[in-house]
Amino acid sequence: MSTLVNRNITLKGRRTSLRLEPDMWEALFEICVRENCPIGELCTQIDEAKEESSLTAAIRVYILIYFRNAAASDRPRDVETFLGEAI
């Protein structure tokens, strides 16, 4: 049995499903609240900024870097900067 949770989101007007761990979904929703950004909009930004990874992998990397920066008291930056640092 998988521990991944499947949810539907809308990217650029098209509906897609993502499978992430429950903790990743919780972290993603927390980022959306902190940044006052709908989940579909944030995932669209991540999707547009990613290079050769899958969307779910790019979301995991984004979450990791977001909270690393928060822990270091850095102000969150745009998605392209986050993903650029991860590559």
Side-chain angles (χ1 to χ4, degrees):
M1 175 178 255
S2 176
T3 60
L4 298 176
V5 175
N6 196 42
R7 295 186 192 223
N8 294 315
I9 61 166
T10 302
L11 299 176
K12 295 182 263 184
R14 75 177 185 1
R15 189 172 156 181
T16 190
S17 65
L18 295 173
R19 291 179 53 173
L20 294 168
E21 298 79 6
D23 288 337
M24 289 294 171
W25 280 116
E26 186 177 326
L28 189 59
F29 290 134
E30 184 177 336
I31 292 169
C32 289
V33 169
R34 287 174 164 221
E35 300 299 321
N36 193 29
C37 179
I39 192 166
E41 184 179 318
L42 180 60
C43 290
T44 295
Q45 291 174 20
I46 294 169
D47 186 45
E48 290 172 349
K50 72 178 176 56
E51 293 191 5
E52 295 185 20
S53 66
S54 69
L55 178 57
T56 54
I59 288 171
R60 287 183 182 101
V61 169
Y62 178 87
I63 291 168
L64 174 68
I65 294 170
Y66 183 95
F67 284 108
R68 263 192 193 161
N69 285 338
S73 299
D74 289 342
R75 186 74 185 125
R77 296 172 298 207
D78 60 59
V79 172
E80 289 84 14
T81 302
F82 279 157
L83 292 178
E85 289 177 0
I87 298 171

